[in-house]
């Protein structure tokens, strides 16, 4: 009813693409982080850095490497949204009881079987929380990516603020909130 259907679909597309890429990369990295101490040692300071860096700072290298538009918006969103997927996947796997893993090993399970049939099912609540947080962070970054021409509701918000048309900016902001609530409830 606010005539923001196209911008909303554009925002959803950016969020889904960025979330899919972030989860595709983040969940396996979380598994590696949980299973390999060397990977954990290397990833921990990088994840700390990524989570403390201000969100606008992600746009600078993305624009330098990819220019203006959707591609740098997706790249910045993927990098911004990936840490919760990595950390919560790792946390879920690390919280699996050693006794349960030992039972699987004693019955002759391979490392892959232990991962797929024991660790991942038990870690699924933590992984699901990581997916939820990745979606929410992707929403916030997609809105900020409107500064670099990524399109969607973020661009409507920014253009509304720049033109002092606060009604349009508020409508687009409320649309982002409604989308975030709907996706949060769906997953």
């Amino acid at each position: 009813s606010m005539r923001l259907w196209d911008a909303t679909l554009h925002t959803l597309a950016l969020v889904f693409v960025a979330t899919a890429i972030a989860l595709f990369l983040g969940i396996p990295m979380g598994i590696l982080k949980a299973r390999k101490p060397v990977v954990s040692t290397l990833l921990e300071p990088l994840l700390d850095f990524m989570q403390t860096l201000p969100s606008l700072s992600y746009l600078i290298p993305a624009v330098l490497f990819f220019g203006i538009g959707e591609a740098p918006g997706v790249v910045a969103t993927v990098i911004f949204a990936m840490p919760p997927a990595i950390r919560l996947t790792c946390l879920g796997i690390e919280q699996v009881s050693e006794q349960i893993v030992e039972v699987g090993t004693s019955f002759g399970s391979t490392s892959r079987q232990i991962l797929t049939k024991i660790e991942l099912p038990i870690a699924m609540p933590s992984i699901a929380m990581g997916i939820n947080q990745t979606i929410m962070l992707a929403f916030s970054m997609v809105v900020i990516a409107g500064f670099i021409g990524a399109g969607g509701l973020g661009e409507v918000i920014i253009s509304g603020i720049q033109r002092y048309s606060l009604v349009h900016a508020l409508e687009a902001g409320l649309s982002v909130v409604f989308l975030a609530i709907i996706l949060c409830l769906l997953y």
Side-chain angles (χ1 to χ4, degrees):
S1 68
M2 295 184 270
R3 296 184 186 98
L4 294 172
W5 183 251
D6 292 335
T8 302
L9 290 181
H10 193 87
T11 299
L12 279 175
L14 289 172
V15 168
F16 285 143
V17 168
T19 301
I21 295 169
L23 294 175
F24 180 75
L25 297 173
I27 291 175
M29 288 173 72
I31 294 169
L32 278 174
K33 184 177 181 301
R35 291 185 149 210
K36 307 280 186 198
V38 173
V39 174
S40 180
T41 304
L42 293 173
L43 276 181
E44 198 61 38
L46 182 64
L47 292 172
D48 289 340
F49 177 74
M50 289 169 67
Q51 287 189 300
T52 57
L53 197 64
S55 54
L56 282 173
S57 301
Y58 286 91
L59 299 179
I60 297 166
V63 169
L64 288 175
F65 288 117
F66 298 102
I68 301 290
E70 294 172 353
V74 170
V75 169
T77 303
V78 166
I79 294 169
F80 182 74
M82 202 180 335
I86 296 171
R87 284 208 160 141
L88 289 169
T89 300
C90 177
L91 177 70
I93 291 175
E94 286 175 344
Q95 288 180 341
V96 174
S97 171
E98 288 291 325
Q99 289 84 12
I100 296 173
V101 174
E102 190 174 319
V103 167
T105 304
S106 68
F107 280 115
S109 298
T110 64
S111 178
R112 170 173 264 152
Q113 288 172 332
I114 289 172
L115 175 68
T116 58
K117 300 195 186 260
I118 296 173
E119 291 177 330
L120 287 178
I122 293 173
M124 195 49 81
S126 181
I127 294 171
M129 182 60 70
I131 292 170
N132 184 299
Q133 292 303 304
T134 300
I135 292 169
M136 293 302 113
L137 286 176
F139 259 116
S140 69
M141 192 62 186
V142 163
V143 172
I144 293 170
F147 279 116
I148 58 171
L153 292 170
E155 200 167 290
V156 174
I157 292 170
I158 291 164
S159 68
I161 291 171
Q162 288 173 342
R163 290 183 284 157
Y164 295 108
S165 177
L166 298 179
V167 171
H168 294 295
L170 182 64
E171 286 176 345
L174 288 174
S175 297
V176 169
V177 170
F178 291 142
L179 284 176
I181 289 171
I182 289 168
L183 278 181
C184 189
L185 292 176
L186 290 176
Y187 195 83

